[in-house]
């Protein structure tokens, strides 16, 4: 299994990249991957996406995942993250607007070759070449919206079942999780040579196998999009692509 | 003074640069060292060896080692490509005293070094690797035996600087050692951006190599290179 990662600031965001990515091996069997997109109309959203990724990493490592199902593990991680967010927001006087980030998590067991993806907010998935656009019309139900509303596990369970997208993965060949920045590529240079029919960007980044054994595959493909096709992402971009070797 | 032993010189200018397909980063710093090994260099060649090898050792341990590629070219009246662009991790200790002797084909050396740097840069960029190039010319004399003119070097640099995308990611520095030559004229004639005139003592050569290390680290961090002041 090769894990390729890409995190790039978009042209619309001059100061900070508000996306973040997570790649964490939980034990010999399980890996947890995540992409996070801080809300552009939130406050200091680069902090929100990074902080939530760090909380998730900490909580995931605290959970005893033996004998739990994918659903149980992911639900537990999300619940504990919500509780931690609540505590941290109080401790550091953070408002909800400072904690707004989408979350896409992919929990994968390499022994069973199965996994589960959950999404809170929008983004993009490619599961063995099956493309899924998670579109919430830019109005995601961010986890942080609920830090006051959800008071106990029962309320969390109701919210989780209604608001969290769930996708199964079996026989992993080539899986990508991405923030919606992947849809924001456009011509930056107004070059006469530019022709957007030349390349399918989604396919190129998430399915094309060129350079797949090279650790810098996504970074190099990104540079080729810029140099050869005059294309750049206007929104921040976080991609994790896992390919079976 | 060492005798002229050209047995192991590479007159075909076979740079044999590292295969771009095998580069596992999406951005590299390509440093070219164009080093004078004409007869007068014998006075300080030990200090130069020591400083250069110290540079290699420290950069091999640096956090930017993965992205640093180095090419070394020696010149007297002939050009010898010691190595094309290779990862710093594979650069061996140098001994510039082996090939001392002869005249100073400064323009030829810079001309070939620049051309290889440009070719490799284009190859890398076409295969998705962004590149920052730094050319360090170290000499203690003026040109007295080149086939290429200073103007041919100048034209290459002018072309690079005219291209908006490469203008700020391509740096050239001439280090003039000793006080025998008119280095400022050589710099202007070749269109090299920066000049540093330094002595040939061990301490000064060490200072020069220290500046080169710092420049490479700065460029790696996205900062500009400033003219060296010693």
């Amino acid at each position: 299994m090769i894990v390729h990662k890409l995190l790039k600031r978009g042209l619309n965001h001059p100061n900070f990249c508000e996306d973040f990515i997570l790649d964490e091996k939980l034990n010999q069997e399980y890996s947890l991957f995540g992409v996070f997109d801080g809300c552009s109309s939130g406050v200091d959203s680069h902090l929100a996406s990074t902080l939530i990724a760090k909380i998730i990493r900490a909580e995931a490592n605290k959970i005893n995942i033996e004998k739990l199902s994918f659903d149980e593990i992911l639900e537990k991680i999300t619940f504990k993250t919500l509780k931690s967010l609540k505590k941290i927001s109080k401790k550091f006087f953070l408002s909800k607007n400072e904690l707004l980030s989408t979350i896409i998590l992919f929990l994968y067991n390499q022994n069973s070759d199965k996994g589960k993806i959950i999404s809170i907010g929008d983004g993009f998935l490619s599961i063995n070449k099956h493309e899924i656009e998670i579109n919430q019309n830019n109005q995601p139900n961010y986890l942080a919206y609920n830090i006051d509303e959800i008071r106990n596990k029962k309320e969390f369970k109701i919210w989780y079942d209604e608001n969290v997208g769930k996708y199964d993965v079996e026989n992993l060949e080539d899986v990508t999780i991405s923030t919606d920045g992947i849809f924001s590529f456009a011509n930056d240079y107004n070059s006469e040579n530019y022709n957007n029919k030349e390349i399918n960007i989604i396919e190129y980044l998430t399915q094309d196998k060129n350079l797949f054994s090279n650790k810098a595959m996504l970074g190099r493909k990104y540079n080729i999009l810029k140099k050869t096709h005059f294309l750049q992402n206007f929104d921040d971009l976080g991609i994790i692509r896992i390919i079976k070797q | 003074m060492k005798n002229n032993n050209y047995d192991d010189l590479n007159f075909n200018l076979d740079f044999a640069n590292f295969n771009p397909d095998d580069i596992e980063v999406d951005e590299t710093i390509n440093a070219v060292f164009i080093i004078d090994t004409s007869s007068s260099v014998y006075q300080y060649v030990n200090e130069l060896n020591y400083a250069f090898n110290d540079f290699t050792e420290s950069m091999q341990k640096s956090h930017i080692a993965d992205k640093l590629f180095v090419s070394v070219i020696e010149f007297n009246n002939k050009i010898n490509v010691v190595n094309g662009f290779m990862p710093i991790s594979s650069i061996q200790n140098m001994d510039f005293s082996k090939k001392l002797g002869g005249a100073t084909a400064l323009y030829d050396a810079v001309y070939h070094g620049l051309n290889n740097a440009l070719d490799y840069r284009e190859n890398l960029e076409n295969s998705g690797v962004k590149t920052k190039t730094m050319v360090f010319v170290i000499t203690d004399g003026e040109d007295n035996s080149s086939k290429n003119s200073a103007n041919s070097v100048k034209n290459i640099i002018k072309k690079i600087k005219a291209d908006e995308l490469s203008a700020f990611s391509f740096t050239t520095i001439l280090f003039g050692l000793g006080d025998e030559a008119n280095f400022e004229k050589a710099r202007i004639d070749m269109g090299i951006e920066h000049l540093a005139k330094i002595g040939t003592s061990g301490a000064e050569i060490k200072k020069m190599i220290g500046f080169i290390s710092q420049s490479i680290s700065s460029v790696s961090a996205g900062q500009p290179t400033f003219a060296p002041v010693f």
Side-chain angles (χ1 to χ4, degrees), chain A residues 126-163:
Chain A
S126 171
I127 303 173
N128 298 334
K129 293 196 173 178
H130 175 57
E131 296 177 9
I132 301 166
E133 181 180 351
I134 307 166
N135 187 353
Q136 300 193 334
N137 299 317
N138 275 325
Q139 293 177 312
N141 189 354
Y142 294 110
L143 188 63
Y145 279 161
N146 304 281
I147 53 174
D148 296 326
E149 282 71 14
I150 296 173
R151 290 162 300 178
N152 53 50
K153 202 159 189 179
K154 195 177 164 190
E155 287 177 356
F156 170 78
K157 176 77 177 151
I158 294 166
W159 175 85
Y160 187 87
D161 288 344
E162 285 177 0
N163 291 281

